[in-house]
Amino acid sequence: MRRSFNFRGRNCEQFGILMNTVHHTLIPQKRKNLIEIPGRDGLTDASLTENYSNVVITVECGFKADSQLTVRTMARDIAGWLSRKGELEFTDEPGKYYDAQVISEIPLETHLRIGRFTIEFDCFPFAMSRPNAREFDITQTEQINTIQVNGTANTPVVLALKNIGDKPITNIRFGHKVDVT
C-alpha cells in the first residue's frame, strides 16, 4: 500500500495527489515565559506549566494531469480542499490525527502535465487519538476495567456511569496509569 494522507475527511489520492515525503518534528518546541529579574544573571522561566508551540508538518506532493488545462483545474480543486482547518491523518499512523491548517502559500511548480508542490501544515503539537468509548458491565467488587488511549497528548476524559440495578453504587475509584515503552 502506498503511503498517503487524509485531510478534512478526504484522501489525497482523490485529488490525484501522490505523496513523496513527509517531514515531522520529533518533539515540539517548549514555550517559555522568560523574564529578566534586576540584579540576577540570566533569565528566569516563569512558566507555571509545560506548554508547547505548534509544529509544522511538511508534505511534498505531486500529480499528473491529462492536459495543461486539467493541471489548473486540479490545482484549484486542491486549493479549495486545503483552504480550511481540519484533521490531518497519515495512512501509516492509523487512529491518530493532528488538528491542522495550512497557513502559508503553496507555490505550484508545473512542467507540461506534471504538478509539484509542498504543503506546510501548522498543527497542534501532539497527535490525537480517535474517541475511545467502552461499555463495561460491573458485576463484582474490586473489578478492574481498562481503557487504552493511543494519543500522545494529555486529554480530558469523560466517564458516564449508569446504574441499571436496584442497589446504589458506592465506593467507586478511578485510577490513572501511564505505561512508557
Side-chain angles (χ1 to χ4, degrees):
M1 183 170 114
R2 186 179 15 233
R3 188 173 181 212
S4 64
F5 69 93
N6 300 310
F7 183 62
R8 294 183 48 230
R10 297 188 66 185
N11 188 276
C12 64
E13 293 178 355
Q14 291 177 264
F15 294 90
I17 297 171
L18 297 177
M19 186 174 79
N20 297 328
T21 57
V22 177
H23 303 282
H24 283 272
T25 302
L26 185 60
I27 58 172
Q29 180 176 338
K30 285 186 180 180
R31 259 188 289 156
K32 293 187 176 208
N33 183 14
L34 299 176
I35 58 171
E36 185 176 333
I37 299 175
R40 284 189 68 186
D41 294 326
L43 299 173
T44 300
D45 186 359
S47 302
L48 299 176
T49 60
E50 286 195 3
N51 293 301
Y52 295 89
S53 296
N54 277 4
V55 296
V56 174
I57 298 176
T58 304
V59 183
E60 295 177 14
C61 302
F63 64 86
K64 183 178 180 182
D66 296 331
S67 68
Q68 189 64 33
L69 180 63
T70 310
V71 168
R72 299 304 318 153
T73 302
M74 289 176 75
R76 277 190 289 281
D77 290 344
I78 293 167
W81 172 55
L82 296 173
S83 66
R84 292 194 304 270
K85 189 174 189 172
E87 293 179 357
L88 173 65
E89 180 177 14
F90 295 95
T91 55
D92 61 347
E93 283 189 289
K96 289 187 174 64
Y97 68 92
Y98 298 87
D99 285 329
Q101 63 182 330
V102 178
I103 58 171
S104 59
E105 66 179 24
I106 304 174
L108 175 63
E109 185 181 315
T110 60
H111 181 70
L112 301 175
R113 297 178 298 143
I114 306 294
R116 290 179 37 178
F117 57 96
T118 300
I119 308 167
E120 290 185 348
F121 288 102
D122 182 66
C123 304
F124 182 76
F126 301 103
M128 309 293 270
S129 67
R130 298 275 170 219
N132 194 354
R134 297 283 190 271
E135 287 189 17
F136 298 105
D137 290 329
I138 300 173
T139 58
Q140 60 192 9
T141 59
E142 300 297 321
Q143 181 173 332
I144 296 175
N145 296 305
T146 304
I147 299 174
Q148 178 84 22
V149 177
N150 295 320
T152 56
N154 290 329
T155 55
V157 175
V158 176
L159 298 171
L161 300 175
K162 180 179 179 184
N163 185 357
I164 57 173
D166 56 2
K167 295 184 176 143
I169 299 174
T170 59
N171 298 323
I172 294 178
R173 290 184 307 235
F174 297 100
H176 176 102
K177 180 181 176 186
V178 177
D179 290 327
V180 179
T181 56

